[in-house]
Amino acid sequence: MKKMCLLLLLVAFAGGCARTTTTSLVAGNPAGRDLGLGKTVVLTWFEFETTDKAGPEKAARLRGLIEARFAGLPGTEVVDAGPLVAALGSRDWRAASDTELVAAARTVGVHSVALVEVATLVGRLHISLTPAWSVETSFAYQARLLDARSGSLVLSALRGRDVAVAFGVRGREALYRDFTADLAELTQSLAQPTDK
């Protein structure tokens, strides 16, 4: 039995036991923009928050990571979303048009609005009848950035990553690291000055 397990592990490691699938659809126009987003409201929504028993905890952690990423961009100050949401009146920010969001931002003196909607953030353990297992982690999110000063869409992206590792050990911390690294990669261009 030991030889069989060892043989299975050897075959898995030699044959390439990891699979990564990445989705990255990015559009926008950061050209001609000054460095820095100025006063920025970050609006977040998590599809899993009400259906996953760990949803509120995951959402709170992600909200902190997302806000910290935007706050870390040069020339950017993340401000409270309350006044902007109030300026929208009874309209939910997810249903509001870009024009309505820009108008609300201008009303309350905000320069940029970042909208991040996370559809999934999940880890799964798969165990088969043979002595084998695999770990799968995945996330998917949509991010948009509006410049209230010009009224333009600076960035629009649909991103995701699915990682499956046979005989692997990947926990929730690896999933948070993957998400944070992906968001950092997406927003990296916002930290660079552009030519006018």
Side-chain angles (χ1 to χ4, degrees):
M1 182 65 173
K2 286 182 182 180
K3 288 182 181 181
M4 180 66 148
C5 289
L6 183 59
L7 181 61
L8 282 172
L9 284 172
L10 193 58
V11 167
F13 288 124
C17 54
R19 172 186 54 82
T20 301
T21 306
T22 303
T23 301
S24 180
L25 303 170
V26 181
N29 185 19
R33 165 192 61 76
D34 288 328
L35 181 60
L37 303 177
K39 291 183 180 178
T40 303
V41 166
V42 178
L43 299 170
T44 55
W45 177 80
F46 306 95
E47 185 173 325
F48 57 80
E49 190 168 13
T50 56
T51 57
D52 182 341
K53 71 177 183 179
E57 173 194 331
K58 290 185 339 187
R61 175 101 181 257
L62 281 177
R63 189 172 287 111
L65 292 171
I66 292 165
E67 289 178 358
R69 176 58 192 160
F70 281 98
L73 293 172
T76 304
E77 175 192 357
V78 172
V79 297
D80 180 41
L84 184 138
V85 171
L88 288 170
S90 61
R91 191 136 173 91
D92 179 76
W93 68 264
R94 291 188 64 232
S97 69
D98 288 357
T99 304
E100 290 171 312
L101 288 165
V102 164
R106 287 177 178 164
T107 299
V108 297
V110 167
H111 304 125
S112 303
V113 182
L115 307 104
V116 181
E117 301 178 48
V118 181
T120 60
L121 182 88
V122 66
R124 297 178 191 95
L125 172 64
H126 303 282
I127 301 175
S128 65
L129 294 176
T130 60
W133 74 90
S134 67
V135 175
E136 180 183 1
T137 57
S138 63
F139 63 83
Y141 69 98
Q142 177 180 346
R144 291 173 42 241
L145 179 64
L146 303 171
D147 182 348
R149 293 167 284 200
S150 67
S152 65
L153 177 66
V154 176
L155 177 73
S156 179
L158 180 61
R159 306 270 286 196
R161 183 171 299 149
D162 182 56
V163 178
V165 181
F167 301 101
V169 179
R170 278 180 61 84
R172 190 175 288 172
E173 290 306 312
L175 184 54
Y176 287 124
R177 280 193 304 275
D178 288 350
F179 178 86
T180 304
D182 191 83
L183 184 63
E185 178 186 308
L186 176 66
T187 57
Q188 183 60 36
S189 64
L190 302 172
Q192 306 300 321
T194 58
D195 296 329
K196 288 199 170 202

mmCIF file with all atom_site columns, all heavy atoms in Angstrom, residues 18-42:
data_model
loop_
_atom_site.group_PDB
_atom_site.id
_atom_site.type_symbol
_atom_site.label_atom_id
_atom_site.label_alt_id
_atom_site.label_comp_id
_atom_site.label_asym_id
_atom_site.label_entity_id
_atom_site.label_seq_id
_atom_site.pdbx_PDB_ins_code
_atom_site.Cartn_x
_atom_site.Cartn_y
_atom_site.Cartn_z
_atom_site.occupancy
_atom_site.B_iso_or_equiv
_atom_site.pdbx_formal_charge
_atom_site.auth_seq_id
_atom_site.auth_comp_id
_atom_site.auth_asym_id
_atom_site.auth_atom_id
_atom_site.pdbx_PDB_model_num
ATOM 1   N N   . ALA A 1 18 ? -0.756  20.666 -11.310 1.00 0.00 ? 18 ALA A N   1
ATOM 2   C CA  . ALA A 1 18 ? -1.426  21.936 -11.025 1.00 0.00 ? 18 ALA A CA  1
ATOM 3   C C   . ALA A 1 18 ? -2.006  22.510 -12.313 1.00 0.00 ? 18 ALA A C   1
ATOM 4   O O   . ALA A 1 18 ? -1.426  22.384 -13.383 1.00 0.00 ? 18 ALA A O   1
ATOM 5   C CB  . ALA A 1 18 ? -0.448  22.926 -10.408 1.00 0.00 ? 18 ALA A CB  1
ATOM 6   N N   . ARG A 1 19 ? -3.173  23.120 -12.182 1.00 0.00 ? 19 ARG A N   1
ATOM 7   C CA  . ARG A 1 19 ? -3.832  23.758 -13.315 1.00 0.00 ? 19 ARG A CA  1
ATOM 8   C C   . ARG A 1 19 ? -4.298  25.132 -12.869 1.00 0.00 ? 19 ARG A C   1
ATOM 9   O O   . ARG A 1 19 ? -4.935  25.277 -11.846 1.00 0.00 ? 19 ARG A O   1
ATOM 10  C CB  . ARG A 1 19 ? -5.031  22.922 -13.756 1.00 0.00 ? 19 ARG A CB  1
ATOM 11  C CG  . ARG A 1 19 ? -5.891  23.588 -14.811 1.00 0.00 ? 19 ARG A CG  1
ATOM 12  C CD  . ARG A 1 19 ? -7.153  22.783 -15.129 1.00 0.00 ? 19 ARG A CD  1
ATOM 13  N NE  . ARG A 1 19 ? -7.958  22.447 -13.972 1.00 0.00 ? 19 ARG A NE  1
ATOM 14  C CZ  . ARG A 1 19 ? -8.850  23.249 -13.375 1.00 0.00 ? 19 ARG A CZ  1
ATOM 15  N NH1 . ARG A 1 19 ? -9.026  24.479 -13.815 1.00 0.00 ? 19 ARG A NH1 1
ATOM 16  N NH2 . ARG A 1 19 ? -9.551  22.855 -12.342 1.00 0.00 ? 19 ARG A NH2 1
ATOM 17  N N   . THR A 1 20 ? -3.978  26.147 -13.653 1.00 0.00 ? 20 THR A N   1
ATOM 18  C CA  . THR A 1 20 ? -4.416  27.506 -13.362 1.00 0.00 ? 20 THR A CA  1
ATOM 19  C C   . THR A 1 20 ? -5.128  28.063 -14.593 1.00 0.00 ? 20 THR A C   1
ATOM 20  O O   . THR A 1 20 ? -4.578  28.031 -15.687 1.00 0.00 ? 20 THR A O   1
ATOM 21  C CB  . THR A 1 20 ? -3.223  28.417 -13.005 1.00 0.00 ? 20 THR A CB  1
ATOM 22  O OG1 . THR A 1 20 ? -2.554  27.882 -11.869 1.00 0.00 ? 20 THR A OG1 1
ATOM 23  C CG2 . THR A 1 20 ? -3.690  29.828 -12.698 1.00 0.00 ? 20 THR A CG2 1
ATOM 24  N N   . THR A 1 21 ? -6.339  28.563 -14.373 1.00 0.00 ? 21 THR A N   1
ATOM 25  C CA  . THR A 1 21 ? -7.101  29.199 -15.442 1.00 0.00 ? 21 THR A CA  1
ATOM 26  C C   . THR A 1 21 ? -7.345  30.638 -15.028 1.00 0.00 ? 21 THR A C   1
ATOM 27  O O   . THR A 1 21 ? -7.873  30.892 -13.951 1.00 0.00 ? 21 THR A O   1
ATOM 28  C CB  . THR A 1 21 ? -8.450  28.484 -15.654 1.00 0.00 ? 21 THR A CB  1
ATOM 29  O OG1 . THR A 1 21 ? -8.201  27.098 -15.871 1.00 0.00 ? 21 THR A OG1 1
ATOM 30  C CG2 . THR A 1 21 ? -9.193  29.067 -16.833 1.00 0.00 ? 21 THR A CG2 1
ATOM 31  N N   . THR A 1 22 ? -6.957  31.575 -15.880 1.00 0.00 ? 22 THR A N   1
ATOM 32  C CA  . THR A 1 22 ? -7.086  32.992 -15.568 1.00 0.00 ? 22 THR A CA  1
ATOM 33  C C   . THR A 1 22 ? -8.005  33.667 -16.575 1.00 0.00 ? 22 THR A C   1
ATOM 34  O O   . THR A 1 22 ? -7.925  33.407 -17.766 1.00 0.00 ? 22 THR A O   1
ATOM 35  C CB  . THR A 1 22 ? -5.701  33.674 -15.594 1.00 0.00 ? 22 THR A CB  1
ATOM 36  O OG1 . THR A 1 22 ? -4.842  33.010 -14.672 1.00 0.00 ? 22 THR A OG1 1
ATOM 37  C CG2 . THR A 1 22 ? -5.801  35.138 -15.228 1.00 0.00 ? 22 THR A CG2 1
ATOM 38  N N   . THR A 1 23 ? -8.878  34.533 -16.064 1.00 0.00 ? 23 THR A N   1
ATOM 39  C CA  . THR A 1 23 ? -9.732  35.358 -16.900 1.00 0.00 ? 23 THR A CA  1
ATOM 40  C C   . THR A 1 23 ? -9.350  36.807 -16.678 1.00 0.00 ? 23 THR A C   1
ATOM 41  O O   . THR A 1 23 ? -9.252  37.242 -15.530 1.00 0.00 ? 23 THR A O   1
ATOM 42  C CB  . THR A 1 23 ? -11.222 35.178 -16.529 1.00 0.00 ? 23 THR A CB  1
ATOM 43  O OG1 . THR A 1 23 ? -11.569 33.807 -16.684 1.00 0.00 ? 23 THR A OG1 1
ATOM 44  C CG2 . THR A 1 23 ? -12.112 36.036 -17.394 1.00 0.00 ? 23 THR A CG2 1
ATOM 45  N N   . SER A 1 24 ? -9.123  37.539 -17.760 1.00 0.00 ? 24 SER A N   1
ATOM 46  C CA  . SER A 1 24 ? -8.766  38.949 -17.627 1.00 0.00 ? 24 SER A CA  1
ATOM 47  C C   . SER A 1 24 ? -9.263  39.712 -18.839 1.00 0.00 ? 24 SER A C   1
ATOM 48  O O   . SER A 1 24 ? -8.659  39.653 -19.905 1.00 0.00 ? 24 SER A O   1
ATOM 49  C CB  . SER A 1 24 ? -7.254  39.110 -17.479 1.00 0.00 ? 24 SER A CB  1
ATOM 50  O OG  . SER A 1 24 ? -6.930  40.480 -17.364 1.00 0.00 ? 24 SER A OG  1
ATOM 51  N N   . LEU A 1 25 ? -10.386 40.386 -18.679 1.00 0.00 ? 25 LEU A N   1
ATOM 52  C CA  . LEU A 1 25 ? -10.927 41.251 -19.713 1.00 0.00 ? 25 LEU A CA  1
ATOM 53  C C   . LEU A 1 25 ? -10.874 42.670 -19.163 1.00 0.00 ? 25 LEU A C   1
ATOM 54  O O   . LEU A 1 25 ? -11.591 43.000 -18.224 1.00 0.00 ? 25 LEU A O   1
ATOM 55  C CB  . LEU A 1 25 ? -12.364 40.852 -20.053 1.00 0.00 ? 25 LEU A CB  1
ATOM 56  C CG  . LEU A 1 25 ? -12.564 39.404 -20.491 1.00 0.00 ? 25 LEU A CG  1
ATOM 57  C CD1 . LEU A 1 25 ? -14.034 39.066 -20.563 1.00 0.00 ? 25 LEU A CD1 1
ATOM 58  C CD2 . LEU A 1 25 ? -11.877 39.144 -21.819 1.00 0.00 ? 25 LEU A CD2 1
ATOM 59  N N   . VAL A 1 26 ? -10.006 43.495 -19.707 1.00 0.00 ? 26 VAL A N   1
ATOM 60  C CA  . VAL A 1 26 ? -9.769  44.833 -19.161 1.00 0.00 ? 26 VAL A CA  1
ATOM 61  C C   . VAL A 1 26 ? -9.918  45.872 -20.269 1.00 0.00 ? 26 VAL A C   1
ATOM 62  O O   . VAL A 1 26 ? -9.398  45.706 -21.361 1.00 0.00 ? 26 VAL A O   1
ATOM 63  C CB  . VAL A 1 26 ? -8.363  44.941 -18.533 1.00 0.00 ? 26 VAL A CB  1
ATOM 64  C CG1 . VAL A 1 26 ? -8.141  46.319 -17.941 1.00 0.00 ? 26 VAL A CG1 1
ATOM 65  C CG2 . VAL A 1 26 ? -8.154  43.869 -17.480 1.00 0.00 ? 26 VAL A CG2 1
ATOM 66  N N   . ALA A 1 27 ? -10.652 46.933 -19.947 1.00 0.00 ? 27 ALA A N   1
ATOM 67  C CA  . ALA A 1 27 ? -10.813 48.058 -20.876 1.00 0.00 ? 27 ALA A CA  1
ATOM 68  C C   . ALA A 1 27 ? -10.737 49.346 -20.072 1.00 0.00 ? 27 ALA A C   1
ATOM 69  O O   . ALA A 1 27 ? -10.834 49.334 -18.850 1.00 0.00 ? 27 ALA A O   1
ATOM 70  C CB  . ALA A 1 27 ? -12.153 47.962 -21.601 1.00 0.00 ? 27 ALA A CB  1
ATOM 71  N N   . GLY A 1 28 ? -10.593 50.440 -20.759 1.00 0.00 ? 28 GLY A N   1
ATOM 72  C CA  . GLY A 1 28 ? -10.561 51.723 -20.074 1.00 0.00 ? 28 GLY A CA  1
ATOM 73  C C   . GLY A 1 28 ? -9.631  52.684 -20.777 1.00 0.00 ? 28 GLY A C   1
ATOM 74  O O   . GLY A 1 28 ? -9.015  52.350 -21.786 1.00 0.00 ? 28 GLY A O   1
ATOM 75  N N   . ASN A 1 29 ? -9.518  53.873 -20.200 1.00 0.00 ? 29 ASN A N   1
ATOM 76  C CA  . ASN A 1 29 ? -8.696  54.902 -20.812 1.00 0.00 ? 29 ASN A CA  1
ATOM 77  C C   . ASN A 1 29 ? -7.961  55.695 -19.738 1.00 0.00 ? 29 ASN A C   1
ATOM 78  O O   . ASN A 1 29 ? -8.368  56.796 -19.394 1.00 0.00 ? 29 ASN A O   1
ATOM 79  C CB  . ASN A 1 29 ? -9.576  55.823 -21.663 1.00 0.00 ? 29 ASN A CB  1
ATOM 80  C CG  . ASN A 1 29 ? -8.742  56.841 -22.413 1.00 0.00 ? 29 ASN A CG  1
ATOM 81  O OD1 . ASN A 1 29 ? -7.548  56.656 -22.576 1.00 0.00 ? 29 ASN A OD1 1
ATOM 82  N ND2 . ASN A 1 29 ? -9.375  57.918 -22.853 1.00 0.00 ? 29 ASN A ND2 1
ATOM 83  N N   . PRO A 1 30 ? -6.866  55.129 -19.193 1.00 0.00 ? 30 PRO A N   1
ATOM 84  C CA  . PRO A 1 30 ? -6.113  55.876 -18.191 1.00 0.00 ? 30 PRO A CA  1
ATOM 85  C C   . PRO A 1 30 ? -5.214  56.957 -18.781 1.00 0.00 ? 30 PRO A C   1
ATOM 86  O O   . PRO A 1 30 ? -4.638  57.751 -18.060 1.00 0.00 ? 30 PRO A O   1
ATOM 87  C CB  . PRO A 1 30 ? -5.283  54.795 -17.488 1.00 0.00 ? 30 PRO A CB  1
ATOM 88  C CG  . PRO A 1 30 ? -5.122  53.724 -18.512 1.00 0.00 ? 30 PRO A CG  1
ATOM 89  C CD  . PRO A 1 30 ? -6.353  53.769 -19.380 1.00 0.00 ? 30 PRO A CD  1
ATOM 90  N N   . ALA A 1 31 ? -5.113  57.020 -20.110 1.00 0.00 ? 31 ALA A N   1
ATOM 91  C CA  . ALA A 1 31 ? -4.222  57.996 -20.747 1.00 0.00 ? 31 ALA A CA  1
ATOM 92  C C   . ALA A 1 31 ? -4.693  59.424 -20.494 1.00 0.00 ? 31 ALA A C   1
ATOM 93  O O   . ALA A 1 31 ? -5.878  59.704 -20.447 1.00 0.00 ? 31 ALA A O   1
ATOM 94  C CB  . ALA A 1 31 ? -4.157  57.737 -22.243 1.00 0.00 ? 31 ALA A CB  1
ATOM 95  N N   . GLY A 1 32 ? -3.734  60.318 -20.312 1.00 0.00 ? 32 GLY A N   1
ATOM 96  C CA  . GLY A 1 32 ? -4.041  61.725 -20.130 1.00 0.00 ? 32 GLY A CA  1
ATOM 97  C C   . GLY A 1 32 ? -4.504  62.078 -18.731 1.00 0.00 ? 32 GLY A C   1
ATOM 98  O O   . GLY A 1 32 ? -4.932  63.185 -18.464 1.00 0.00 ? 32 GLY A O   1
ATOM 99  N N   . ARG A 1 33 ? -4.376  61.154 -17.817 1.00 0.00 ? 33 ARG A N   1
ATOM 100 C CA  . ARG A 1 33 ? -4.834  61.349 -16.444 1.00 0.00 ? 33 ARG A CA  1
ATOM 101 C C   . ARG A 1 33 ? -3.632  61.716 -15.570 1.00 0.00 ? 33 ARG A C   1
ATOM 102 O O   . ARG A 1 33 ? -2.536  61.210 -15.757 1.00 0.00 ? 33 ARG A O   1
ATOM 103 C CB  . ARG A 1 33 ? -5.476  60.024 -15.988 1.00 0.00 ? 33 ARG A CB  1
ATOM 104 C CG  . ARG A 1 33 ? -5.714  59.862 -14.533 1.00 0.00 ? 33 ARG A CG  1
ATOM 105 C CD  . ARG A 1 33 ? -6.078  58.413 -14.214 1.00 0.00 ? 33 ARG A CD  1
ATOM 106 N NE  . ARG A 1 33 ? -5.048  57.455 -14.561 1.00 0.00 ? 33 ARG A NE  1
ATOM 107 C CZ  . ARG A 1 33 ? -3.945  57.266 -13.869 1.00 0.00 ? 33 ARG A CZ  1
ATOM 108 N NH1 . ARG A 1 33 ? -3.675  58.001 -12.813 1.00 0.00 ? 33 ARG A NH1 1
ATOM 109 N NH2 . ARG A 1 33 ? -3.073  56.362 -14.231 1.00 0.00 ? 33 ARG A NH2 1
ATOM 110 N N   . ASP A 1 34 ? -3.837  62.630 -14.645 1.00 0.00 ? 34 ASP A N   1
ATOM 111 C CA  . ASP A 1 34 ? -2.786  62.960 -13.682 1.00 0.00 ? 34 ASP A CA  1
ATOM 112 C C   . ASP A 1 34 ? -2.596  61.788 -12.730 1.00 0.00 ? 34 ASP A C   1
ATOM 113 O O   . ASP A 1 34 ? -3.498  60.977 -12.535 1.00 0.00 ? 34 ASP A O   1
ATOM 114 C CB  . ASP A 1 34 ? -3.177  64.186 -12.842 1.00 0.00 ? 34 ASP A CB  1
ATOM 115 C CG  . ASP A 1 34 ? -3.109  65.467 -13.655 1.00 0.00 ? 34 ASP A CG  1
ATOM 116 O OD1 . ASP A 1 34 ? -2.267  65.543 -14.553 1.00 0.00 ? 34 ASP A OD1 1
ATOM 117 O OD2 . ASP A 1 34 ? -3.923  66.365 -13.388 1.00 0.00 ? 34 ASP A OD2 1
ATOM 118 N N   . LEU A 1 35 ? -1.421  61.713 -12.127 1.00 0.00 ? 35 LEU A N   1
ATOM 119 C CA  . LEU A 1 35 ? -1.151  60.673 -11.148 1.00 0.00 ? 35 LEU A CA  1
ATOM 120 C C   . LEU A 1 35 ? -2.006  60.912 -9.915  1.00 0.00 ? 35 LEU A C   1
ATOM 121 O O   . LEU A 1 35 ? -2.031  62.004 -9.365  1.00 0.00 ? 35 LEU A O   1
ATOM 122 C CB  . LEU A 1 35 ? 0.341   60.683 -10.765 1.00 0.00 ? 35 LEU A CB  1
ATOM 123 C CG  . LEU A 1 35 ? 0.784   59.630 -9.757  1.00 0.00 ? 35 LEU A CG  1
ATOM 124 C CD1 . LEU A 1 35 ? 0.509   58.231 -10.299 1.00 0.00 ? 35 LEU A CD1 1
ATOM 125 C CD2 . LEU A 1 35 ? 2.255   59.775 -9.449  1.00 0.00 ? 35 LEU A CD2 1
ATOM 126 N N   . GLY A 1 36 ? -2.732  59.916 -9.501  1.00 0.00 ? 36 GLY A N   1
ATOM 127 C CA  . GLY A 1 36 ? -3.544  60.004 -8.290  1.00 0.00 ? 36 GLY A CA  1
ATOM 128 C C   . GLY A 1 36 ? -5.019  60.092 -8.603  1.00 0.00 ? 36 GLY A C   1
ATOM 129 O O   . GLY A 1 36 ? -5.428  60.740 -9.559  1.00 0.00 ? 36 GLY A O   1
ATOM 130 N N   . LEU A 1 37 ? -5.802  59.430 -7.772  1.00 0.00 ? 37 LEU A N   1
ATOM 131 C CA  . LEU A 1 37 ? -7.255  59.417 -7.961  1.00 0.00 ? 37 LEU A CA  1
ATOM 132 C C   . LEU A 1 37 ? -7.945  60.490 -7.139  1.00 0.00 ? 37 LEU A C   1
ATOM 133 O O   . LEU A 1 37 ? -9.141  60.706 -7.291  1.00 0.00 ? 37 LEU A O   1
ATOM 134 C CB  . LEU A 1 37 ? -7.817  58.037 -7.585  1.00 0.00 ? 37 LEU A CB  1
ATOM 135 C CG  . LEU A 1 37 ? -7.232  56.849 -8.344  1.00 0.00 ? 37 LEU A CG  1
ATOM 136 C CD1 . LEU A 1 37 ? -7.840  55.550 -7.820  1.00 0.00 ? 37 LEU A CD1 1
ATOM 137 C CD2 . LEU A 1 37 ? -7.436  56.990 -9.826  1.00 0.00 ? 37 LEU A CD2 1
ATOM 138 N N   . GLY A 1 38 ? -7.213  61.157 -6.248  1.00 0.00 ? 38 GLY A N   1
ATOM 139 C CA  . GLY A 1 38 ? -7.822  62.163 -5.384  1.00 0.00 ? 38 GLY A CA  1
ATOM 140 C C   . GLY A 1 38 ? -8.727  61.511 -4.350  1.00 0.00 ? 38 GLY A C   1
ATOM 141 O O   . GLY A 1 38 ? -8.504  60.379 -3.935  1.00 0.00 ? 38 GLY A O   1
ATOM 142 N N   . LYS A 1 39 ? -9.756  62.225 -3.923  1.00 0.00 ? 39 LYS A N   1
ATOM 143 C CA  . LYS A 1 39 ? -10.712 61.672 -2.959  1.00 0.00 ? 39 LYS A CA  1
ATOM 144 C C   . LYS A 1 39 ? -11.517 60.584 -3.663  1.00 0.00 ? 39 LYS A C   1
ATOM 145 O O   . LYS A 1 39 ? -12.200 60.846 -4.660  1.00 0.00 ? 39 LYS A O   1
ATOM 146 C CB  . LYS A 1 39 ? -11.642 62.755 -2.436  1.00 0.00 ? 39 LYS A CB  1
ATOM 147 C CG  . LYS A 1 39 ? -10.961 63.756 -1.548  1.00 0.00 ? 39 LYS A CG  1
ATOM 148 C CD  . LYS A 1 39 ? -11.955 64.756 -1.003  1.00 0.00 ? 39 LYS A CD  1
ATOM 149 C CE  . LYS A 1 39 ? -11.229 65.745 -0.100  1.00 0.00 ? 39 LYS A CE  1
ATOM 150 N NZ  . LYS A 1 39 ? -12.150 66.771 0.412   1.00 0.00 ? 39 LYS A NZ  1
ATOM 151 N N   . THR A 1 40 ? -11.430 59.381 -3.129  1.00 0.00 ? 40 THR A N   1
ATOM 152 C CA  . THR A 1 40 ? -12.018 58.218 -3.796  1.00 0.00 ? 40 THR A CA  1
ATOM 153 C C   . THR A 1 40 ? -12.965 57.471 -2.871  1.00 0.00 ? 40 THR A C   1
ATOM 154 O O   . THR A 1 40 ? -12.627 57.191 -1.725  1.00 0.00 ? 40 THR A O   1
ATOM 155 C CB  . THR A 1 40 ? -10.909 57.252 -4.269  1.00 0.00 ? 40 THR A CB  1
ATOM 156 O OG1 . THR A 1 40 ? -10.015 57.970 -5.120  1.00 0.00 ? 40 THR A OG1 1
ATOM 157 C CG2 . THR A 1 40 ? -11.469 56.056 -5.004  1.00 0.00 ? 40 THR A CG2 1
ATOM 158 N N   . VAL A 1 41 ? -14.142 57.161 -3.394  1.00 0.00 ? 41 VAL A N   1
ATOM 159 C CA  . VAL A 1 41 ? -15.093 56.298 -2.695  1.00 0.00 ? 41 VAL A CA  1
ATOM 160 C C   . VAL A 1 41 ? -14.947 54.904 -3.284  1.00 0.00 ? 41 VAL A C   1
ATOM 161 O O   . VAL A 1 41 ? -14.933 54.735 -4.508  1.00 0.00 ? 41 VAL A O   1
ATOM 162 C CB  . VAL A 1 41 ? -16.546 56.797 -2.864  1.00 0.00 ? 41 VAL A CB  1
ATOM 163 C CG1 . VAL A 1 41 ? -17.550 55.736 -2.429  1.00 0.00 ? 41 VAL A CG1 1
ATOM 164 C CG2 . VAL A 1 41 ? -16.758 58.069 -2.067  1.00 0.00 ? 41 VAL A CG2 1
ATOM 165 N N   . VAL A 1 42 ? -14.829 53.905 -2.421  1.00 0.00 ? 42 VAL A N   1
ATOM 166 C CA  . VAL A 1 42 ? -14.740 52.516 -2.862  1.00 0.00 ? 42 VAL A CA  1
ATOM 167 C C   . VAL A 1 42 ? -16.041 51.831 -2.456  1.00 0.00 ? 42 VAL A C   1
ATOM 168 O O   . VAL A 1 42 ? -16.352 51.727 -1.271  1.00 0.00 ? 42 VAL A O   1
ATOM 169 C CB  . VAL A 1 42 ? -13.526 51.796 -2.227  1.00 0.00 ? 42 VAL A CB  1
ATOM 170 C CG1 . VAL A 1 42 ? -13.488 50.342 -2.672  1.00 0.00 ? 42 VAL A CG1 1
ATOM 171 C CG2 . VAL A 1 42 ? -12.223 52.510 -2.589  1.00 0.00 ? 42 VAL A CG2 1
#
